[in-house]
Amino acid sequence: MKVLMKFTDVVDHVSEWCGKIFSFIIVLMMIVLVYDVFMRYFLNKPTSWGMELTTFFQAGVLFLGGGYSLLHGGHVKVDIAYSRWSARKKAIVDLITYLFLFALSVVLVWYGGKTAWSSFIQHKVSTSAWSPPLWPIYLLVPVGGFLLGLQCLVKWMRDLVTAITGKNLLESRVVSGEGGLRG
């Protein structure tokens, strides 16, 4: 049990720090967007890179924030009946449903990795006037899928222990609530 607890702690901390670090991308995205709007509408000198860079930042937030969102229970759920169930029943249902999320993360890692590698080997660039290389953006997909998959595995292990014992023995030491199984 100590090995499981150590593994869940490490993954929780990685997800938490990734979420905190990459949340600053939103601030950078806002700065670039405001600058681009100012240049375009007030000085009549639009940038060739502003909108595309904002899109790249948005992709970073989307893919690298998945594990953080899962840790904090931020993914969408239909909880009409779910909220009334016992911890054990919730865990049993989540054991099944999180297999689909884990499968999705495997697909993101596999196909995203192939696409990123292919774009790196082929030196693919954007078709815009700025034409940055695309492989760093494509690399966000498998990295984000891997982080999401790790957090999903941790959630699944927590649910398995809860389904077997009826107790939340692998509670997160990073967050309380849905993702950490407290409450």
Side-chain angles (χ1 to χ4, degrees), residues 151-170:
Q151 194 62 54
C152 186
L153 179 62
V154 166
K155 173 77 167 92
W156 197 84
M157 291 186 315
R158 285 183 173 129
D159 287 330
L160 182 62
V161 169
T162 302
I164 292 170
T165 65
K167 298 177 185 171
N168 301 333
L169 299 177
L170 281 178

